[in-house]
Amino acid sequence: MGTCVFLWLTVFVYLHFIPISQDRYHAAISQKQKLLEETPSPRIIVTGSSSAAFGINSTILHNDFNLPVINLALDSDLGSSFMLKQLEGHLQPNDIVLLIIDYQTTPKGELVSQLITSDYLPEAKDWQSSFSFSEKCEGYVAYYWYIFKSTFLGLWDMAHIKKESSFGKIYTRNGFNTKGDLISHLGQPPYIKNHLPPLINSDVFRQQIEEINQFNQYATEKKAKLFWVIGCCSEEYFEQNHKAIQQYEKVLNQSLFCPIIGNPLTGVMDDTLYFDTQNHPNEEGRKIWTYRIVELLDNFDF
């Protein structure tokens, strides 16, 4: 028993102090934060779930509105609260924020993703949500298991990845362009699609809307504009969750104070326009979705 405890502590200490790789996907948080701090206003700030990281072409937005565009979107599991806290203290007059939230994104997020991200940007520790003791235990176990796998077993489980594709070259810090868009998946053959979980429950969604309404008040005080954009999804996912999405839209229209860009159908595209999950557009899907958003934004005065 004593030997097992000693070995576990040895592994724990080793994993805790081992230098972290600077090439991992979440390491991009530091360069995205630099964009937020250094890009002059007025500007368009894209933030939100992973659909925005994969699916927004910031160059199209820039060309249409003639404003600098930065894409802060990274990982749905960071949670919408984390995403909004990143913006606090950085909004300037006439900034435009596009908050793109997938149906599965909770306000609290997952501790493991927040811990990984904070490894690359220490100030992000202040953006972490409050978790129960059991959630913390689960989160830290998942975090150290991630470190172990990344160090000794390679990146995440690649069983679902085609052998000719390189997972490590797509989910990497270097996969983002200078505006913060993920571009490493462009032109790559499609992977087997991962199926997304169902929508978040109504109580959690109402909590999320309440937090976003509070942030909208902050944005208004800063003379910035916040827009909600519903994340994209495949036709298959939309059909499977149609009734729940209708209820989602109803609650959104009743409770959200900031303008909503389009409706759930705005981001629905054929399954062939997605890369590795039902909310990660491929090159053509990215182009189509961004142009749809631009067309709807043109109806607003900035």
Side-chain angles (χ1 to χ4, degrees):
M1 180 65 179
T3 302
C4 291
V5 172
F6 175 76
L7 289 174
W8 168 246
L9 287 175
T10 301
V11 171
F12 174 83
V13 171
Y14 177 75
L15 291 176
H16 188 72
F17 290 103
I18 189 172
I20 56 175
S21 169
Q22 294 300 314
D23 294 329
R24 293 179 190 151
Y25 179 81
H26 290 84
I29 187 70
S30 59
Q31 62 207 54
K32 287 172 179 277
Q33 184 66 14
K34 187 175 181 181
L35 285 172
L36 179 62
E37 294 172 353
E38 297 182 356
T39 304
S41 296
R43 60 210 169 155
I44 296 175
I45 303 171
V46 177
T47 190
S49 307
S50 57
S51 64
F54 277 79
I56 292 298
N57 185 331
S58 292
T59 299
I60 292 175
L61 288 167
H62 169 75
N63 291 342
D64 192 88
F65 297 104
N66 196 30
L67 290 172
V69 182
I70 58 175
N71 189 342
L72 304 181
L74 194 63
D75 181 2
S76 305
D77 284 344
L78 291 173
S80 56
S81 297
F82 184 100
M83 300 165 190
L84 295 176
K85 287 176 184 175
Q86 183 180 11
L87 294 175
E88 290 180 0
H90 294 288
L91 290 192
Q92 301 295 328
N94 299 316
D95 280 347
I96 299 165
V97 179
L98 302 182
L99 178 61
I100 303 177
I101 299 293
D102 293 341
Y103 294 114
Q104 308 78 27
T105 304
T106 65
K108 179 184 284 190
E110 300 290 338
L111 179 58
V112 57
S113 293
Q114 295 175 13
L115 289 171
I116 293 167
T117 304
S118 299
D119 280 341
Y120 302 102
L121 188 69
E123 64 196 86
K125 293 177 181 178
D126 296 332
W127 311 337
Q128 291 177 10
S129 303
S130 296
F131 294 93
S132 66
F133 177 77
S134 61
E135 288 172 332
K136 287 181 179 178
C137 290
E138 182 180 346
Y140 274 98
V141 168
Y143 168 74
Y144 285 113
W145 175 238
Y146 168 85
I147 298 297
F148 176 81
K149 286 204 300 181
S150 299
T151 305
F152 300 107
L153 304 179
L155 292 171
W156 300 97
D157 179 15
M158 295 187 288
H160 68 294
I161 305 299
K162 289 185 177 180
K163 292 182 179 179
E164 65 268 21
S165 300
S166 176
F167 184 74
K169 290 182 180 179
I170 293 167
Y171 285 85
T172 175
R173 176 182 192 157
N174 295 324
F176 294 86
N177 64 15
T178 56
K179 290 182 171 64
D181 301 336
L182 189 73
I183 58 172
S184 52
H185 66 303
L186 303 183
Q188 293 289 331
Y191 290 174
I192 297 173
K193 302 291 191 300
N194 290 323
H195 290 276
L196 295 171
L199 283 69
I200 60 175
N201 68 55
S202 57
D203 290 338
V204 174
F205 185 42
R206 291 179 190 279
Q207 177 194 342
Q208 185 175 63
I209 290 177
E210 183 178 340
E211 291 184 357
I212 292 169
N213 284 339
Q214 291 174 358
F215 183 84
N216 182 58
Q217 183 177 352
Y218 160 74
T220 301
E221 292 170 355
K222 293 294 182 179
K223 298 182 180 179
K225 280 190 173 290
L226 174 67
F227 293 90
W228 173 291
V229 182
I230 299 174
C232 62
C233 69
S234 68
E235 288 181 350
E236 180 186 25
Y237 183 84
F238 183 81
E239 291 169 2
Q240 290 173 344
N241 297 276
H242 185 245
K243 289 185 178 180
I245 290 174
Q246 282 185 321
Q247 181 61 28
Y248 181 100
E249 183 183 19
K250 180 179 179 181
V251 173
L252 197 63
N253 288 328
Q254 290 175 343
S255 308
L256 190 69
F257 295 160
C258 70
I260 302 169
I261 300 300
N263 56 55
L265 286 173
T266 302
V268 177
M269 298 181 289
D270 188 85
D271 293 51
T272 60
L273 295 172
Y274 289 86
F275 176 57
D276 63 340
T277 73
Q278 295 171 307
N279 66 333
H280 289 170
N282 60 19
E283 188 165 7
E284 183 63 19
R286 174 177 179 259
K287 178 181 175 182
I288 292 170
W289 189 37
T290 304
Y291 271 121
R292 288 181 184 177
I293 293 171
V294 166
E295 184 178 355
L296 291 166
L297 276 172
D298 280 333
N299 296 322
F300 292 88
D301 293 326
F302 297 140

